Amino acid sequence: MQKTLRLTPTTLEPKPLIDLKWFIIGVSIFFVTYLGIVPLIFLIWQSFSTPQTMVQGAEFTAQNYVRAYSDPQTLVLFRNSFVFAVGTSMFSLVLGTLLAWMNERTNTPFKSLFYALSIIPLIIPSILFTVSWIFLASPEIGIFNLALQWLFGTDHVFFNIYSLGGMIWVEGLHYSPMAFLLMTAAFRSMDPSLEESAMMSGASIRHIVFKITIKLAWPALFAAVLIMFVRSIESFEVPALLGLPAGIHVFTSAIYSAIKRYPSEIGLAGAYAVTLLLITSIGVFFQSKLSSSGSKYSTMTGKGYRPRAMDLGKWRYFTAAVFIVYFVLIVILPFLVLVWSSLQRFYSVPSLTALKKISFDNYSYILEYPSFLRSVSNSLLLSIGSATTIMLITAVICWIVVKTRIRGRWMLDNIASLPMVFPGIVLGVSIMILYLQFDIGVYGTIWILFIAYLTRFMPYGLRYNTTSMMQIHKELEESAAMSGATWGTTFRRIILPLMKSGFVAGWIYIVIVSIRELSSSILLYSPGSEVISIVIWELWENGQYTKLSALGVMFIITLFLLVIAMQLFTKRVGVKES
């Protein structure tokens, strides 16, 4: 039977009033602009305002800056902040570069294992790392001091962690794995032919290192110094835990003290915050300028190469010992001292007598702690929610910047990257000021922490997504459009799946760093919106050191298992070549 095709009149679907594509683009642009610019505006405004009271509104004034910079203590703040940041960045760079050179250019034993273990120190939150070194090097209870005093029969204090040198030691150790990874990447990308030629010509290892390797790695070295400097000068945990008890103030601790004192001096904190923001902005500017001019030092060619390891002879056992001592100082001892403290009802140094008093009561206390389960829930909600939101929004922003010719798209990229120059404590101040003045019902709730996390970690999501977006050819979108696919379908079915590798990597990174976040949370949390890092901080302020240690041990183990699980998940969902 022959079938006939009948054409029947159909009702055309009404054209939507708003194009979904431009609606999503508009929302994303508004989202990024609001998060990147509005807090900055309110921070600057508050720094020029008098405190608002019940009987008098805020008035314009420059008194906050006059007070800040006419105070002799401000020079001390500058000096302490500069010495702390420079000392930390140089210490972490020298240590990280040495380890990276031994790992990439020498025949040191076990170097592959060390590289695999290098991610572990990055898991330990800064507040827990600092607390562990207080147990190790405090003048009164530090294990190192007590052991050396017993050994030499003296009361001399060998290590004082509550000093500027102690602050540099702890912060430098904590950031050295980052410097190690940065310099490892630089050494791997360098063509070692010049070093090998010098080696074959009979040059000594010292001559090769200082005359060739260091000069070729100069841009990477300078970039690492700038990164470490910015990270150090915005650090909060080490100055708060080690500097404040000793009366050593830097900008971050001064901002915290100005807000926490009664009556709160938000304007003065704003003036300090603007100064700190300018310092970090200068550092980030020079870092970006260096990145754009790094091609002058390029040695990578299109030819594949396998660098020949320098034979250190008997010295390779010494470098292997350096690896072992470093890992003990940065991971083993800090973790073990937290474990030991967590098993004591009242902290006491390791001894046979204290060993008989081991108890798991601190773990029971933490599990029954009123805000423990709530803080875990809040941390998971904030980290997963902020990571997901950031990666989706920045995916749209990256598409606009990379794939379109919209005028001003470069400005959108700069605005989205603006929070990168915000130190955590400064971001907390600016968001606090914003929502105290612009009350929309988020102040005092978990939503203000969510907004802070979105703002703080948005540039990192942008970087991960930009790398993936640049690898997607425009022809794929054009083919989909010619096949009748809408922009939403193309973005959901083609763009996002092809970005999967970078998208998931960025999501994992933001989850990990946000679940550890303290510096911006410390000014924004309220009862009911605590996160795990805040609970650790409260236990420290209450003097509950053994309870803090128990929570810290559980937190570190959980983060470690989370990282392992996410790495396995990344391997499964990573983009595979057919």
Side-chain angles (χ1 to χ4, degrees):
M1 180 182 294
Q2 185 178 3
K3 294 183 180 179
T4 59
L5 180 63
R6 294 186 178 181
L7 299 177
T8 56
T10 58
T11 304
L12 295 175
E13 294 184 2
K15 186 177 181 180
L17 296 177
I18 301 177
D19 189 336
L20 178 63
K21 169 184 174 180
W22 292 107
F23 175 76
I24 294 176
I25 291 174
V27 169
S28 301
I29 292 175
F30 172 80
F31 177 87
V32 168
T33 304
Y34 178 80
L35 292 181
I37 293 181
V38 174
L40 176 62
I41 294 173
F42 272 81
L43 173 66
I44 296 174
W45 172 79
Q46 184 64 49
S47 68
F48 285 100
S49 299
T50 59
Q52 183 175 349
T53 63
M54 296 292 292
V55 296
Q56 185 177 3
E59 297 179 356
F60 179 83
T61 181
Q63 190 61 34
N64 294 322
Y65 288 93
V66 172
R67 180 182 172 188
Y69 296 114
S70 62
D71 188 347
Q73 287 300 314
T74 302
L75 292 177
V76 178
L77 280 181
F78 269 109
R79 185 194 66 195
N80 289 343
S81 299
F82 182 79
V83 172
F84 174 62
V86 172
T88 297
S89 57
M90 294 305 299
F91 174 53
S92 60
L93 178 71
V94 170
L95 185 57
T97 302
L98 174 64
L99 295 171
W101 176 79
M102 291 190 304
N103 188 77
E104 292 298 318
R105 290 293 193 262
T106 71
N107 62 339
T108 301
F110 312 118
K111 62 180 184 179
S112 299
L113 176 62
F114 178 78
Y115 182 79
L117 296 175
S118 63
I119 191 174
I120 296 179
L122 301 176
I123 298 173
I124 302 177
S126 181
I127 184 173
L128 293 177
F129 189 77
T130 307
V131 169
S132 68
W133 271 98
I134 291 174
F135 291 145
L136 289 170
S138 168
E140 293 82 15
I141 63 172
I143 295 174
F144 289 165
N145 277 311
L146 294 176
L148 290 173
Q149 287 170 358
W150 173 81
L151 181 64
F152 294 104
T154 179
D155 294 331
H156 177 71
V157 176
F158 291 87
F159 303 99
N160 182 12
I161 206 68
Y162 295 108
S163 62
L164 197 55
M167 292 165 60
I168 292 173
W169 170 263
V170 174
E171 194 80 351
L173 269 184
H174 193 242
Y175 281 148
S176 59
M178 186 183 300
F180 166 75
L181 294 174
L182 288 171
M183 294 311 300
T184 296
F187 286 139
R188 285 186 177 180
S189 64
M190 285 168 47
D191 186 345
S193 58
L194 294 176
E195 297 165 288
E196 293 177 356
S197 299
M199 192 186 310
M200 294 176 64
S201 300
S204 65
I205 292 178
R206 178 178 176 274
H207 184 87
I208 294 171
V209 169
F210 287 99
K211 294 295 185 180
I212 299 176
T213 307
I214 297 300
K215 289 187 176 181
L216 290 177
W218 170 245
L221 287 167
F222 190 56
V225 165
L226 288 174
I227 292 172
M228 297 300 106
F229 179 85
V230 172
R231 294 294 297 268
S232 302
I233 206 165
E234 71 175 26
S235 172
F236 171 74
E237 292 88 342
V238 169
L241 270 63
L242 300 182
L244 287 180
I248 302 173
H249 293 269
V250 295
F251 274 109
T252 51
S253 57
I255 293 169
Y256 177 75
S257 299
I259 291 176
K260 287 301 180 180
R261 71 171 60 114
Y262 184 82
S264 181
E265 297 181 299
I266 298 179
L268 180 62
Y272 285 143
V274 170
T275 303
L276 184 56
L277 185 62
L278 289 175
I279 295 173
T280 55
S281 299
I282 293 171
V284 172
F285 171 76
F286 280 112
Q287 179 186 335
S288 63
K289 293 290 289 184
L290 180 65
S291 299
S292 63
S293 61
S295 58
K296 294 187 295 184
Y297 296 84
S298 299
T299 62
M300 185 183 298
T301 66
K303 299 179 180 179
Y305 56 82
R306 181 175 298 176
R308 187 179 68 177
M310 297 181 185
D311 185 4
L312 298 179
K314 294 182 180 180
W315 285 99
R316 68 183 185 276
Y317 300 111
F318 173 77
T319 54
V322 171
F323 275 146
I324 295 171
V325 170
Y326 172 77
F327 193 74
V328 167
L329 288 175
I330 201 169
V331 175
I332 303 298
L333 282 179
F335 183 70
L336 287 182
V337 76
L338 288 176
V339 172
W340 171 260
S341 174
S342 70
L343 297 175
Q344 301 290 312
R345 293 188 178 183
F346 303 98
Y347 182 76
S348 57
V349 296
S351 65
L352 291 177
T353 304
L355 189 62
K356 298 176 182 178
K357 299 179 181 180
I358 284 179
S359 169
F360 290 93
D361 290 348
N362 291 322
Y363 291 92
S364 300
Y365 177 88
I366 291 298
L367 293 175
E368 297 173 0
Y369 194 69
S371 59
F372 172 68
L373 291 178
R374 184 171 63 242
S375 67
V376 171
S377 175
N378 289 341
S379 294
L380 290 175
L381 178 64
L382 288 169
S383 60
I384 295 174
S386 59
T388 304
T389 305
I390 287 170
M391 296 311 294
L392 289 174
I393 294 293
T394 55
V396 178
I397 298 301
C398 290
W399 180 84
I400 296 172
V401 174
V402 176
K403 299 297 184 183
T404 71
R405 296 185 178 275
I406 298 177
R407 291 184 178 180
R409 61 188 183 279
W410 60 271
M411 186 181 298
L412 183 62
D413 183 42
N414 290 339
I415 292 173
S417 302
L418 183 61
M420 189 175 292
V421 304
F422 272 74
I425 194 78
V426 174
L427 180 65
V429 172
S430 60
I431 291 180
M432 180 185 68
I433 292 171
L434 168 60
Y435 292 104
L436 280 173
Q437 302 295 330
F438 185 55
D439 188 8
I440 59 174
V442 300
Y443 189 82
T445 70
I446 194 174
W447 291 106
I448 196 169
L449 289 173
F450 182 64
I451 294 172
Y453 288 11
L454 291 180
T455 307
R456 181 158 172 72
F457 302 118
M458 179 172 60
Y460 302 105
L462 187 72
R463 299 279 81 82
Y464 277 99
N465 275 333
T466 299
T467 302
S468 298
M469 186 69 72
M470 293 178 69
Q471 297 174 349
I472 302 174
H473 202 281
K474 184 71 174 176
E475 288 179 354
L476 296 173
E477 296 179 66
E478 295 173 350
S479 299
M482 292 178 64
S483 300
T486 63
W487 179 85
T489 301
T490 303
F491 197 83
R492 178 172 55 88
R493 299 287 297 274
I494 297 177
I495 302 297
L496 287 180
L498 291 175
M499 294 176 61
K500 181 170 56 177
S501 181
F503 189 97
V504 173
W507 187 88
I508 291 173
Y509 177 79
I510 294 173
V511 166
I512 293 172
V513 295
S514 59
I515 210 169
R516 298 167 33 187
E517 172 62 24
L518 173 67
S519 55
S520 58
S521 306
I522 194 71
L523 299 178
L524 301 175
Y525 83 97
S526 58
S529 64
E530 302 95 338
V531 291
I532 296 177
S533 58
I534 294 298
V535 175
I536 294 174
W537 174 264
E538 290 179 340
L539 290 172
W540 172 261
E541 287 196 317
N542 295 335
Q544 298 173 287
Y545 307 134
T546 57
K547 276 78 174 176
L548 178 155
S549 300
L551 178 55
V553 169
M554 291 190 292
F555 191 28
I556 292 172
I557 292 175
T558 303
L559 279 177
F560 178 73
L561 295 176
L562 180 65
V563 169
I564 296 299
M566 287 182 171
Q567 284 186 332
L568 294 175
F569 176 74
T570 303
K571 291 181 180 179
R572 294 187 61 183
V573 303
V575 177
K576 299 179 181 180
E577 294 181 0
S578 55

